[in-house]
Amino acid sequence: MTLPSDQILHERLTGLCPYLVQSPPFTAGDDVSLTFKYDPDAESDGALLPLNVNPPTASRDALESDERSWGESVVLVRATLSKTGGQPRDSLNQPTGDYDPDALTLSNVRVVDRSPSWDIG
């Protein structure tokens, strides 16, 4: 269960519309920290399932101890929310339906931490 490289994570998460940021208190321009669990069996190239998001006032620089568990690959990223529109996803990471011009998407995605730390594809 190997996480993709930082570059691939950046590419796959840029433009994503996770359900976690589609309502207040999040607005365009916010810098947020998000955790994703990697599920290699969910799609042909694996799925990144959103677990948690922290508002811009609660910047994070590492995964919490309870987010690090044996046998699971988890990544913490920082991203800027952009009001570029897109197809939001629900809590099961499935598209919710139609394109939403007001949807917040992830931009300027950068990997902050990963667990296990050596787990790079």
Side-chain angles (χ1 to χ4, degrees), residues 63-94:
L63 290 163
E64 303 292 336
S65 60
D66 63 349
E67 294 170 323
R68 300 174 185 271
S69 58
W70 185 86
E72 293 186 354
S73 296
V74 180
V75 65
L76 172 66
V77 301
R78 289 281 294 167
T80 303
L81 300 180
S82 298
K83 190 174 177 180
T84 57
Q87 188 174 30
R89 293 177 173 258
D90 64 18
S91 62
L92 298 175
N93 207 41
Q94 300 299 312

Side-chain angles (χ1 to χ4, degrees), residues 33-51:
S33 302
L34 301 106
T35 52
F36 290 89
K37 181 172 109 175
Y38 182 61
D39 181 358
D41 300 324
E43 298 173 4
S44 61
D45 56 355
L48 292 159
L49 308 173
L51 298 176

Side-chain angles (χ1 to χ4, degrees), residues 11-68:
E11 292 169 6
R12 290 190 53 197
L13 294 175
T14 297
L16 184 69
C17 295
Y19 73 97
L20 295 170
V21 298
Q22 296 306 323
S23 61
F26 302 105
T27 60
D30 286 347
D31 279 330
V32 295
S33 302
L34 301 106
T35 52
F36 290 89
K37 181 172 109 175
Y38 182 61
D39 181 358
D41 300 324
E43 298 173 4
S44 61
D45 56 355
L48 292 159
L49 308 173
L51 298 176
N52 192 15
V53 62
N54 292 100
T57 56
S59 172
R60 298 201 28 211
D61 59 3
L63 290 163
E64 303 292 336
S65 60
D66 63 349
E67 294 170 323
R68 300 174 185 271

